[in-house]
Amino acid sequence: MAQIDETRAANARPAGLRGTVLWQSANTLFPGIAVSILVAVTAQFLSEHYGAPAMLMALLMGLALNFLADQGTRTEAGIGFSARTVLRLGVALLGARISVEMLTKLGTGMILLVIAGVAVTILFAMLAAKVFGRGWRMALLSGGAVAICGASAAMAIAAVLPRTDKSERNLAFTVMAVTILSTVAMIAYPPLSGWFDFTPLESGVFLGGTIHDVAQVVGAGFSISPEVGETATVVKLIRVAMLAPVVLVFSLVIRAGHLGADSTGGIRPPLLPSFVIWFLVLAALNSFGVIPASVAWFAEQASRWALLTAIAAVGIKTSLVKMMEVGGSAIWLVVVETIFLACFILAGLHLIS
């Protein structure tokens, strides 16, 4: 009998040990996660009450709290977890917004134009980066962010690029740049639609195909009319749907070592990260109508908050001084990419119509 009791006690110890480890891990991560969430909530408050872009506010406030990510602080581990794991969760949940049904609202020509805009903008970024003296990592990061969906794309692409000591800095800079330019476009592009005398469909394609972030696309589209707003949102989601294949292509090219001598630097990313697989799974389930509307809405909200929390953590991890070391050429690179995408979509609309 005593032997049985000893056996039970021995079997119970690993479970208790695992519970202790999990508790210690959660206790270690909680302070940093809590700080990241607090910054995200504050950024959302500023966005709702003062009209400032939530992503930009989260990044700027995070930069001001860089000392919380110093080595040895209680918040260091949780901030790193938020910038990495919570980010991937947010990107994966974006898939619940994608469905094949949304493609039926647009003609084949418009869909091909939007997809082509993504592809040629990334290729243009690779060429422009050489002109501005930037490396291929910055080209893929900035080009993908401009071509697909702004800050969300930047964070997803950064997750599959080989890690270097400049990774966090470049990501923070790219998020800030595309968010600012997206806000400028939200204000400037609707009058351009009227100046070009676009139809509601053409206006929606122009706004959804050129503005970087989803929130700014919605704001610009509905500032013209509900019809334009709905079309612009659908077009933007088509660009978001391009995130998974683009990340896969980037991973394949990086692993093949076709991007130059420095392509072996850093840690090689997986062929297809798990968060991209979940993105595709959720998109497929939503296309087949498996995901109820209420669940899709919840996933959208969870994704938005996860990405906002992640970019707050990225900001905290990034030194403002180091971010400014990116240089003026990187700023011009993102600006030129934005202008190129707008010109490409305008030219395509002119040819199709």
Side-chain angles (χ1 to χ4, degrees):
M1 191 72 176
Q3 187 177 2
I4 294 175
D5 291 339
E6 288 178 5
T7 304
R8 288 177 179 174
N11 290 335
R13 284 190 197 110
L17 180 60
R18 286 195 296 271
T20 301
V21 171
L22 289 173
W23 169 254
Q24 290 176 344
S25 178
N27 193 41
T28 301
L29 295 176
F30 177 76
I33 296 174
V35 168
S36 301
I37 292 175
L38 180 60
V39 173
V41 171
T42 306
Q44 184 61 31
F45 175 85
L46 293 174
S47 177
E48 292 176 354
H49 289 79
Y50 300 100
M55 283 284 186
L56 181 59
M57 290 298 98
L59 180 60
L60 292 177
M61 287 189 292
L63 289 170
L65 299 173
N66 175 247
F67 63 92
L68 293 175
D70 289 344
Q71 189 172 4
T73 58
R74 289 188 61 196
T75 51
E76 179 191 7
I79 289 170
F81 178 86
S82 298
R84 183 180 61 257
T85 305
V86 175
L87 183 154
R88 287 161 170 76
L89 173 64
V91 174
L93 290 174
L94 280 175
R97 301 187 60 185
I98 309 301
S99 69
V100 176
E101 182 182 357
M102 67 186 185
L103 301 178
T104 62
K105 298 182 180 180
L106 301 171
T108 303
M110 294 297 185
I111 295 173
L112 293 177
L113 174 62
V114 174
I115 295 175
V118 172
V120 298
T121 299
I122 293 172
L123 293 175
F124 174 80
M126 296 296 292
L127 297 175
K130 294 183 179 180
V131 174
F132 286 102
R134 311 304 305 192
W136 62 267
R137 288 182 178 87
M138 179 59 76
L140 295 184
L141 189 62
S142 62
V146 169
I148 303 172
C149 54
S152 302
M155 290 188 282
I157 292 168
V160 301
L161 292 178
R163 304 286 295 177
T164 69
D165 58 345
K166 297 178 182 178
S167 295
E168 299 291 348
R169 181 202 72 178
N170 290 344
L171 174 58
F173 166 80
T174 303
V175 169
M176 178 178 289
V178 296
T179 304
I180 291 174
L181 288 173
S182 187
T183 304
V184 171
M186 179 182 67
I187 298 170
Y189 286 4
L192 276 179
S193 298
W195 188 71
F196 284 110
D197 196 27
F198 283 154
T199 65
L201 174 62
E202 292 169 339
S203 294
V205 172
F206 172 61
L207 298 176
T210 56
I211 300 177
H212 308 325
D213 287 315
V214 176
Q216 279 82 347
V217 168
V218 173
F222 282 95
S223 69
I224 298 177
S225 71
E227 183 180 357
V228 173
E230 291 172 2
T231 303
T233 303
V234 169
V235 171
K236 183 60 185 176
L237 290 179
I238 293 174
R239 290 169 67 193
V240 174
M242 292 292 292
L243 182 60
V246 166
V247 168
L248 174 58
V249 170
F250 284 0
S251 296
L252 288 171
V253 174
I254 291 169
R255 289 172 68 88
H258 293 323
L259 289 172
D262 69 334
S263 63
T264 57
I267 301 173
R268 176 176 286 191
L271 178 60
L272 191 60
S274 59
F275 71 90
V276 177
I277 295 174
W278 280 109
F279 177 98
L280 294 171
V281 169
L282 290 174
L285 292 175
N286 195 39
S287 297
F288 287 112
V290 176
I291 301 178
S294 58
V295 175
W297 178 87
F298 177 81
E300 177 185 350
Q301 297 302 310
S303 173
R304 184 171 62 85
W305 279 106
L307 291 174
L308 197 58
T309 300
I311 199 57
V314 169
I316 296 172
K317 289 186 66 179
T318 305
S319 167
L320 181 60
V321 174
K322 291 183 178 179
M323 193 178 73
M324 291 297 102
E325 294 175 357
V326 175
S329 61
I331 298 174
W332 282 111
L333 175 62
V334 180
V335 171
V336 168
E337 290 166 356
T338 300
I339 295 173
F340 174 84
L341 176 60
C343 291
F344 181 85
I345 296 297
L346 284 172
L349 288 172
H350 177 73
L351 291 174
I352 293 173
S353 62

